[in-house]
Amino acid sequence: MSSGRVPGRRTRAPGFWRSNSLTLVFGGAFLVVLAAQAVAGRAEFNEQLAVDGLQQVGFGAYLMSSDFAVDVTENWQSEFLQFFLYVFGTVHLVQRGSPESKPLERAGTESDRDQKMGDHARPESPRWAGTKDWRQGLYSRSLGLTMAVLFFLSWFAQSVAGVAAYNGQRLRQLQAPLDWSAYLASSDFWSRSLQNWQSELLAVCAMAILSVYLRQRGSPESKPVGSAHSATGVEG
Amino acid sequence: MSTPLRAAAVLVVAAFLSGCGASAAREDGASSSGRRFAAALAAGDYRAACELLAPETRDEVEEDAKGPCGPALRELGLPPSGPARGVDVYGNDALLRTAGDTVFLSRFDDGWKVTAAGCVEQSTDEPYRCSLKGG
């Protein structure tokens, strides 16, 4: 079978769906899985209520409950923490042979020329990249900072939803509720946080080292299949 | 602010406000049931008080006494309630503190019901010790 381009036929630019398929597919899958989590979460919550001889909750009530909110936000915060640490960490930290890492000699924030900033900005560069004031400083860290802000917001949301869900459970066990500051020191808050953090850190560590030796043909997360194990910062 | 961002902001504020409103309604509902339970006990209307018990709590009272709820409740001699001192509500669960008693409640289709009463606080993480509670 021929795989070459047909002579004389112009290649059409990919349409909206094709151009944004990565975001759209993962965004759609996120919504489907979130809905599935709500269904499973409600069933589990109602099982606990049945054991206590209490009223079952409907699907709408569960969606608005602190129990659902804390289960969602505890995972969100850890994902944003992962990307925040990864984005900032990979400025200075390197892994020889990993496509997730820069070449070892380029560790650090690099020069304005390398980063196409200030006088080295190009006509197509984002406008703030070509400035020399606070806008450049902010824009040049905007990805990591946004991840950090989203992490702190979702971690705060976890704490607020968490104290309400935990206090509901304590009341069902005939225990006095805790206030927010006491909840921040509780085992429930830290258990929820740390169990998610450890899994995110394991995933980053595994990706950094496994991508040195293993390949995925066609994926930009992998080196080209034939690249040497020692090749660093090469994407497929 | 772009339209999607404005819509998201409106949704967040609406959810927050509806949450506050729902919370105030739940506090009123739990307090009202707690007060009616205390009033029924004070009036010696144990049948009405039994109607305000959660199903599992009522079953437990009858099982322990091996008899109907009303006389069993009278035998328990729950402390007089007194003025309300505060209510904590989380989801469908509530704790009502009065001058003379502490009562736990839970919300059912037909309103807030007492799950435990005659409760005395123990140390921080210990459950309250209650003379009336479900299994």
Side-chain angles (χ1 to χ4, degrees):
Chain A
M1 185 189 288
S2 168
S3 60
R5 196 180 287 176
V6 178
R9 184 177 291 179
R10 291 177 62 188
T11 309
R12 282 176 54 191
F16 173 81
W17 296 102
R18 182 71 184 148
S19 300
N20 298 287
S21 56
L22 186 60
T23 303
L24 291 170
V25 167
F26 276 84
F30 157 70
L31 293 175
V32 170
V33 174
L34 185 65
Q37 181 193 341
V39 171
R42 179 196 165 216
E44 186 199 14
F45 189 53
N46 275 338
E47 276 176 26
Q48 294 167 8
L49 293 174
V51 169
D52 295 333
L54 299 175
Q55 178 78 44
Q56 305 276 287
V57 295
F59 190 67
Y62 180 71
L63 282 183
M64 296 296 288
S65 73
S66 53
D67 291 85
F68 179 57
V70 69
D71 286 350
V72 169
T73 52
E74 75 170 59
N75 285 282
W76 286 8
Q77 57 87 4
S78 67
E79 301 302 331
F80 290 124
L81 175 68
Q82 178 192 45
F83 281 106
F84 156 56
L85 292 177
Y86 205 39
V87 168
F88 272 105
T90 49
V91 173
H92 298 283
L93 303 175
V94 292
Q95 173 58 56
R96 186 188 302 276
S98 175
E100 300 293 319
S101 165
K102 297 192 288 190
L104 277 58
E105 65 279 8
R106 285 178 54 198
T109 53
E110 304 184 22
S111 67
D112 283 4
R113 177 190 294 272
D114 291 334
Q115 290 289 313
K116 305 185 184 79
M117 292 162 59
D119 292 334
H120 303 281
R122 297 178 180 177
E124 70 274 16
S125 296
R127 196 156 53 87
W128 283 22
T131 61
K132 294 180 179 176
D133 51 21
W134 63 270
R135 291 174 296 177
Q136 187 204 58
L138 183 64
Y139 189 69
S140 65
R141 296 169 181 82
S142 56
L143 182 60
L145 285 175
T146 300
M147 292 297 175
V149 167
L150 290 172
F151 159 63
F152 283 113
L153 283 178
S154 46
W155 199 26
F156 174 70
Q158 177 201 322
S159 74
V160 172
V163 70
Y166 189 55
N167 279 340
Q169 181 190 327
R170 286 179 68 92
L171 292 184
R172 290 191 290 278
Q173 294 169 350
L174 308 183
Q175 291 171 292
L178 302 178
D179 62 25
W180 182 70
S181 57
Y183 179 69
L184 292 188
S186 73
S187 56
D188 186 77
F189 177 67
W190 286 103
S191 172
R192 284 180 180 275
S193 298
L194 293 170
Q195 69 169 315
N196 282 284
W197 293 356
Q198 58 84 13
S199 66
E200 303 306 335
L201 294 170
L202 173 66
V204 168
C205 180
M207 186 66 188
I209 193 67
L210 291 178
S211 59
V212 174
Y213 303 103
L214 305 177
R215 306 286 185 272
Q216 184 63 47
R217 182 174 180 167
S219 173
E221 302 304 313
S222 162
K223 295 191 280 194
V225 178
S227 289
H229 291 333
S230 59
T232 307
V234 183
E235 293 182 350
Chain B
M1 192 186 287
S2 68
T3 304
L5 272 181
R6 194 177 302 143
V10 167
L11 274 178
V12 169
V13 171
F16 181 74
L17 291 177
S18 69
C20 291
S23 176
R26 285 199 301 265
E27 285 182 8
D28 289 347
S31 299
S32 168
S33 285
R35 279 198 305 270
R36 281 190 287 130
F37 180 71
L41 289 181
D45 186 354
Y46 294 101
R47 189 172 165 183
C50 283
E51 292 296 313
L52 286 163
L53 292 181
E56 188 148 311
T57 306
R58 182 173 178 151
D59 288 349
E60 188 74 12
V61 169
E62 292 176 340
E63 207 168 290
D64 284 352
K66 296 184 172 47
C69 174
L73 206 50
R74 187 176 59 230
E75 283 300 307
L76 277 176
L78 290 170
S81 175
R85 287 193 168 159
V87 62
D88 291 307
V89 179
Y90 293 95
N92 287 341
D93 301 285
L95 169 65
L96 177 66
R97 291 188 177 92
T98 65
D101 195 8
T102 298
V103 176
F104 288 84
L105 302 107
S106 191
R107 191 164 62 165
F108 290 80
D109 281 341
D110 53 346
W112 286 87
K113 303 283 185 180
V114 173
T115 54
C119 298
V120 179
E121 189 168 14
Q122 308 296 301
S123 61
T124 313
D125 276 330
E126 289 272 312
Y128 277 62
R129 188 175 299 158
C130 302
S131 16
L132 166 70
K133 63 177 181 177

